[in-house]
Amino acid sequence: MGQHGCNRGLPGTGEACELDNAHGRLSSTSRKAGARPCLTVTVAWETRSVIPKLPLDSPRWRDLDGVKAEEVKALLEQLASAADSEDGDAWRRSWTSLTGGLLDDATVSDGAYAALPHLVEAAAALPSGQSVDFWVDLGCIVTAEDRPPVPADLAAGFSAALRAAEGAAIRSLLSAGASAQDCAQLVLACVAFAGHHAGDTLWRLHGLRESSLQLVCPGCESDTEIPDFFVDPARPSSEAPELPDPAHFRAGEHPWGEVAAALRDEALGEGWEPFLRVAREVAAAGVPRETPGQAVLCLVAGMVAVKGSPQWAGREWARKLMLLTGHFRCWDCERTWTIADGLSENPDGALPRHRPTQASTDFDGSPASAESATATATAGRTRGAATRFRQDGNVVLAADGTPWGRIAVFSDSAPGPSGSGGVDSLTVVSRPGRPMLVAGAGENGVVYLWDVADGRLVHDPLPVHPDRIRSLTALSLPDGRVLLASGGDTGTIALWDPVTGQPVREPAGDWPGGVTGMCSATVPDGRTLLVTATPRGAVRLWDPNTGECVGRLNPYGSPIQSIAAVPISAGHTLIAAADTAGRLHVWDPAMDDPWEPGAAVQLSARALAGADHRVAAVAAVPTRDRTVLATGDNRGVVMLWDLATGAPIGDALPASAGTAGASVITATTLRGGRTILVTGTRHGHRLRVWEPETGAVEHIALDVALTCLAAAGADLIVGHALGVLGLPLSRQ
């Protein structure tokens, strides 16, 4: 943070981090990812505490890593003469050199527990203004992620050293007049010496000059990066945290009373009084360990406003720090946590928020303005906590580790050497009682057909196309027949009978760029038409009986990347398509002139623009009383639309970094009429299962990279790079 102090790379980035050695600050090269604190510090204030110390001539020093007794002795001599020495920075240079051994690559050496009692006692005797750097560096050591247990023979001395450090650091805080940046770190160091987990923010913050903030979800441990987080708000963008529980009050005397007295309501200006009230309560209680982290961060920000220098900078930094008292939503498990808990490793007592209230962050994680907070809460919050599922061999496990159901691996679905490349397209043929799954796989256009109920191959693999199959669809004809259409990578279209496996029409056509999408449309005159789309913008209507092109849609010629048929009444279907620019088009195939809108109402341009929704994928979603349109973008957002009005329906499924990218969507209706929508990312490993009516979201983590999705009743069908598998959408 700032010019000095713990100016390290964000966790997990592997980014090198150095502190300003010219100011005698701690130097480290990286922060170990995944390490967990194993030292719990409990302190109680004593006005005259005696610090037990390991004698400098003890042979025990030879058993300790990271420091030599001679180094400690030399630094103590420099500290003792620092006030009168002409070279007042000599001790800082020695301290910087020593800390390289005390904290190496974010790992605390056991020698630190012997050296620090000596050094804390000496630093506490320095004038308050000279020791700020020392206390901040000590705070970084105390909050480092990889800390071995304190040896039993050194525990009493180290605990007493922290009690003394807390009091001395608070004296520096109240009298030193440090810069706003150093003041923020000094308060956090004081919090760390008090034993509160919010002191971990010393390591988690990369500096308020940086725009982004990285958090770790307390529930699933996924990293969530919030870009453009830090602003300088004139007024609070969220409500102040609740006052700490009065039952939690630190036993014995503590040094925080003067801190509480220093916190003034006017320190931050109008609107910030509730935050400062929380800060005073935390200080008056002595920063007990049970205090919520967001309340402690109110204290940190309040003291920066009061003591940071110059005053205008202190206020500016304090308002930025107050943003950390809000909430964030984890992109992965989609639960909402306090930002304070996301800044700490394994914070005690961290609990997610279960009810959607006014949000303090937008969907992308950036701070919500006061004007947008209400819209955020209504437009994108999911209701209820998300549930995580994972694949364990051939079983799906729920979040509690109990079996959810078995994974069905469809036999012979892995493409062989001659047709390598995975499964690129899926469709389900509805037959009374026995739906059939169809998959197009491999570079040589092989089609597999299985009975969904038992996974049995209905036919031997069929070499339908001379090229890769990019799209499939089933056509239910008026005479009761069901035909299958397939589109190839080079633009060929084939029509064949899934029961006999025989072609009705050999692959024909040659449209550059291939067939990017297919669907079946019914028109009021009773015909069933095949609709095909290409990336060059050709959307054609075909008569499956004659093989003739009977119409064209897409009069503007926009390149199409996804297409779907949405029934609006018995015998009447509309076509929705997303082009490569993210625009959504709706056409009526019953209209002779595609320029005439007819029954096709376009989606609300205002709603699309307001959500910044650039559509990349479309799908038809069956509900209890109608079929609606689902649209997905490359951020993971999914919206539902009423094609009768063009208006959005309900809340959107918000963005998710885990399912951001080229979208794949499918939907089905479960027993009882529940509508379920499943979305993921092409070549990704995560799926979100969304029930729009309740807002519930479940997560499935796969061991394979998915390529396409389909649904057959209560079963989700996943095409992936190695074959096809089925997952139950309800507990078996």
Side-chain angles (χ1 to χ4, degrees):
M1 280 169 43
Q3 182 179 359
H4 315 310
C6 297
N7 190 15
R8 294 167 171 80
L10 285 174
T13 63
E15 189 176 319
C17 46
E18 293 291 336
L19 296 181
D20 189 348
N21 288 341
H23 290 79
R25 307 311 300 270
L26 185 62
S27 177
S28 178
T29 55
S30 67
R31 183 172 186 262
K32 285 191 175 180
R36 292 287 181 269
C38 54
L39 168 65
T40 299
V41 178
T42 303
V43 299
W45 173 244
E46 295 180 7
T47 56
R48 290 184 176 88
S49 59
V50 177
I51 303 179
K53 296 179 287 294
L54 180 68
L56 292 174
D57 58 356
S58 171
R60 177 80 166 89
W61 287 93
R62 293 194 291 269
D63 301 328
L64 301 173
D65 296 328
V67 66
K68 297 179 180 179
E70 292 77 10
E71 296 175 305
V72 176
K73 183 177 181 180
L75 179 54
L76 289 174
E77 292 174 353
Q78 292 174 333
L79 285 167
S81 60
D84 302 323
S85 173
E86 294 182 0
D87 186 4
D89 283 338
W91 75 267
R92 301 178 194 276
R93 291 192 292 269
S94 297
W95 168 241
T96 298
S97 176
L98 185 63
T99 55
L102 299 181
L103 183 64
D104 182 17
D105 196 19
T107 299
V108 177
S109 67
D110 58 2
Y113 303 132
L116 290 176
H118 289 275
L119 300 174
V120 165
E121 187 175 66
L126 290 174
S128 297
Q130 292 186 21
S131 57
V132 172
D133 291 348
F134 181 89
W135 303 124
V136 172
D137 291 344
L138 179 60
C140 291
I141 293 174
V142 170
T143 56
E145 283 190 303
D146 192 0
R147 305 193 300 272
V150 183
D153 61 326
L154 303 177
F158 185 67
S159 179
L162 289 179
R163 291 197 299 270
E166 182 185 11
I170 288 176
R171 288 196 298 273
S172 289
L173 171 65
L174 292 171
S175 61
S179 70
Q181 297 94 321
D182 285 354
C183 184
Q185 295 176 94
L186 181 56
V187 187
L188 286 168
C190 295
V191 168
F193 302 148
H196 197 283
H197 65 76
D200 291 352
T201 306
L202 265 172
W203 281 90
R204 302 298 297 179
L205 277 182
H206 182 48
L208 297 189
R209 295 179 187 178
E210 301 292 333
S211 61
S212 64
L213 181 70
Q214 186 162 332
L215 306 168
V216 176
C217 175
C220 68
E221 299 186 353
S222 293
D223 288 343
T224 293
E225 182 175 358
I226 305 178
D228 302 322
F229 178 85
F230 289 111
V231 296
D232 182 14
R235 293 176 179 272
S237 58
S238 61
E239 295 181 357
E242 295 181 2
L243 290 171
D245 188 342
H248 297 149
F249 200 95
R250 189 162 153 188
E253 296 184 21
H254 62 76
W256 291 90
E258 291 185 56
V259 173
L263 290 163
R264 307 183 306 272
D265 281 348
E266 69 273 13
L268 280 171
E270 185 181 355
W272 296 95
E273 295 89 346
F275 293 83
L276 293 170
R277 190 178 310 121
V278 172
R280 281 195 300 274
E281 292 287 339
V282 172
V287 194
R289 295 179 59 191
E290 301 85 356
T291 307
Q294 59 182 167
V296 175
L297 289 178
C298 285
L299 167 61
V300 174
M303 285 306 296
V304 172
V306 171
K307 303 302 296 184
S309 180
Q311 186 179 50
W312 66 266
R315 290 191 173 189
E316 178 182 324
W317 273 63
R319 288 192 293 265
K320 291 179 179 180
L321 283 167
M322 282 298 187
L323 293 173
L324 301 176
T325 65
H327 295 78
F328 78 102
R329 189 188 64 248
C330 173
W331 66 265
D332 193 352
C333 69
E334 301 197 9
R335 288 177 288 181
T336 298
W337 307 84
T338 67
I339 291 175
D341 286 340
L343 290 167
S344 301
E345 295 287 345
N346 294 329
D348 294 335
L351 294 172
R353 298 178 71 180
H354 293 290
R355 291 183 299 172
T357 57
Q358 180 166 308
S360 59
T361 55
D362 284 325
F363 297 154
D364 61 359
S366 59
S369 63
E371 293 79 11
S372 67
T374 301
T376 299
T378 57
R381 306 283 304 168
T382 55
R383 291 180 290 276
T387 304
R388 175 184 291 271
F389 295 82
R390 61 184 174 87
Q391 181 180 347
D392 184 10
N394 62 349
V395 176
V396 178
L397 297 181
D400 59 2
T402 59
W404 178 266
R406 298 190 67 82
I407 295 176
V409 178
F410 288 86
S411 61
D412 299 319
S413 63
S418 62
S420 61
V423 174
D424 296 296
S425 52
L426 292 169
T427 193
V428 175
V429 179
S430 297
R431 298 187 300 169
R434 307 291 289 190
M436 183 187 301
L437 173 65
V438 185
E443 297 176 353
N444 296 332
V446 176
V447 170
Y448 297 83
L449 295 92
W450 297 276
D451 188 310
V452 172
D454 56 20
R456 178 181 56 85
L457 274 173
V458 177
H459 294 288
D460 290 335
L462 305 175
V464 175
H465 274 265
D467 51 2
R468 183 186 297 273
I469 299 173
R470 296 187 62 180
S471 53
L472 288 164
T473 195
L475 298 97
S476 298
L477 303 183
D479 59 9
R481 291 181 300 149
V482 176
L483 299 181
L484 279 171
S486 53
D489 201 32
T490 59
T492 56
I493 299 173
L495 204 64
W496 39 285
D497 187 331
V499 177
T500 64
Q502 297 301 310
V504 172
R505 190 160 288 101
E506 295 294 336
D510 184 14
W511 292 280
V515 180
T516 55
M518 288 182 153
C519 59
S520 172
T522 56
V523 290
D525 63 11
R527 292 178 298 161
T528 297
L529 304 176
L530 171 65
V531 186
T532 63
T534 71
R536 294 201 172 187
V539 179
R540 295 179 174 89
L541 304 174
W542 305 88
D543 185 331
N545 292 312
T546 64
E548 295 180 355
C549 178
V550 296
R552 284 179 167 80
L553 304 176
N554 196 23
Y556 296 102
S558 303
I560 301 301
Q561 60 178 333
S562 179
I563 194 167
V566 183
I568 58 172
S569 64
H572 196 178
T573 304
L574 297 182
I575 306 299
D579 64 27
T580 53
R583 296 182 294 260
L584 196 285
H585 309 270
V586 183
W587 304 298
D588 185 353
M591 303 298 296
D592 293 333
D593 185 353
W595 293 91
E596 290 290 334
V601 176
Q602 301 303 309
L603 301 192
S604 167
R606 181 176 181 180
L608 287 166
D612 191 23
H613 191 48
R614 300 176 183 273
V615 182
V618 292
V621 178
T623 68
R624 298 176 189 272
D625 56 355
R626 55 181 170 165
T627 301
V628 301
L629 174 68
T631 59
D633 63 25
N634 288 337
R635 299 177 299 148
V637 174
V638 179
M639 299 181 71
L640 298 182
W641 303 85
D642 182 352
L643 287 189
T645 64
I649 302 171
D651 294 346
L653 178 66
S656 169
T659 54
S663 299
V664 287
I665 302 174
T666 193
T668 189
T669 302
L670 301 184
R671 184 176 303 172
R674 294 169 51 216
T675 295
I676 297 294
L677 189 145
V678 184
T679 181
T681 306
R682 202 177 307 276
H683 307 304
H685 295 265
R686 295 181 181 273
L687 296 170
R688 288 196 288 173
V689 183
W690 179 38
E691 186 174 355
E693 186 173 348
T694 64
V697 179
E698 297 169 345
H699 293 255
I700 299 175
L702 300 173
D703 294 337
V704 295
L706 71 96
T707 55
C708 47
L709 295 173
D715 293 321
L716 173 68
I717 311 298
V718 178
H720 56 87
L722 301 176
V724 180
L725 55 84
L727 302 169
L729 290 174
S730 57
R731 189 183 286 271
Q732 295 179 336

